[in-house]
Amino acid sequence: MNQDVIAVAIDGPAGAGKSTIARAAAAQLGFVYVDTGALYRTIGLAVCRRGIDGTDVPGILATLPEIQVGLTYQDGAQHVLLDGEDVSDAIRTPQISTYASQVSSVPEVRAYLLDLQRDLARRQSVIMDGRDIGTVILPNAKVKIFLTASPEKRAARRCAELREKGQDVTVEGILADMERRDALDASRAVAPLKQAEDAVLVDTSDLTLEQSIEAVLTVIRDKMKGA
């Protein structure tokens, strides 16, 4: 890896604000933001569109050779592609969130995306967020952060986000989905959600978005100075 390249790994549960905070921090630092969850959501979308159940492992494996998943950047924003189609909005539904958790528990799916994610971090300074970035994808990242918040706060934030996009959702429904996803992500046999031993914990339960971004930037800058 180029010694001038810096990798920042941000992990945490669903709805912790990883994408929003990581994207803002990357913009301020001039880094490339990589939303790895979008990649799993895209595979989930492909599986869903084929009418395959999210727990149908043979069906999921049969889908992988048939699809192409890619990333592109427009005006600094990440867009995820499925067979050349921009599906950045189509993957942001509760149904596809569930599919993402299900397909991400399949080892072959994680292997399918591993090289793509690592290659991005080799070529440029990145802030990459997900569930297992600091533990599996980029175990040698110079900066590791575990971003979290209480389930209630996470559900309220996600509900507001989805309502802004015109989706008819409730906090109670989002909280129930989130708790199921938390349990699935933490208990899966392959790359479960957990805090890396050398990750800095950042709890945003009582922080505004601006305060959360600044907290993450402070950790990154402190680590960069130390390095």
Side-chain angles (χ1 to χ4, degrees):
M1 180 181 291
N2 186 330
Q3 293 301 309
D4 294 328
V5 169
I6 296 172
V8 178
I10 299 182
D11 292 307
K18 297 187 301 296
S19 297
T20 301
I21 294 169
R23 185 183 298 110
Q28 291 201 37
L29 294 169
F31 289 11
V32 171
Y33 165 62
V34 183
D35 173 8
T36 63
L39 300 175
Y40 290 100
R41 286 173 175 270
T42 301
I43 293 178
L45 178 65
V47 170
C48 179
R49 283 179 170 179
R50 285 165 169 73
I52 298 168
D53 190 89
T55 60
D56 180 358
V57 175
I60 294 169
L61 297 184
T63 299
L64 294 180
E66 300 175 354
I67 63 174
Q68 285 192 329
V69 177
L71 293 175
T72 185
Y73 291 87
Q74 299 173 22
D75 298 323
Q78 174 183 292
H79 290 255
V80 64
L81 307 177
L82 174 60
D83 298 327
E85 174 193 354
D86 188 334
V87 294
S88 302
D89 291 329
I91 61 175
R92 301 295 176 181
T93 69
Q95 181 188 31
I96 300 305
S97 292
T98 298
Y99 264 92
S101 283
Q102 291 169 329
V103 301
S104 68
S105 68
V106 179
E108 291 84 355
V109 172
R110 308 196 75 82
Y112 176 85
L113 294 174
L114 182 62
D115 287 343
L116 170 62
Q117 295 170 91
R118 286 182 172 170
D119 184 58
L120 289 167
R122 277 193 293 267
R123 292 187 283 110
Q124 58 218 328
S125 291
V126 300
I127 296 183
M128 191 175 293
D129 76 76
R131 299 291 190 280
D132 63 343
I133 309 304
T135 55
V136 177
I137 306 301
L138 302 176
N140 297 318
K142 292 180 180 178
V143 185
K144 297 180 185 179
I145 296 171
F146 192 84
L147 191 69
T148 190
S150 69
E152 293 76 16
K153 289 281 188 179
R154 291 188 282 125
R157 293 168 181 171
R158 179 58 59 83
C159 185
E161 176 188 345
L162 293 176
R163 283 176 176 172
E164 284 184 4
K165 295 180 179 180
Q167 296 187 31
D168 184 15
V169 294
T170 65
V171 173
E172 294 77 13
I174 293 293
L175 179 58
D177 287 340
M178 197 166 280
E179 288 177 337
R180 283 194 293 269
R181 187 173 184 189
D182 284 350
L184 181 61
D185 288 344
S187 63
R188 67 188 181 211
V190 180
L193 169 66
K194 64 179 181 179
Q195 182 177 341
E197 291 184 1
D198 53 346
V200 177
L201 177 66
V202 176
D203 189 324
T204 69
S205 297
D206 298 319
L207 302 180
T208 64
L209 175 58
E210 291 73 19
Q211 290 171 332
S212 300
I213 295 168
E214 189 55 40
V216 165
L217 283 169
T218 296
V219 172
I220 296 172
R221 287 168 175 152
D222 286 348
K223 291 284 187 179
M224 288 170 62
K225 289 177 184 176

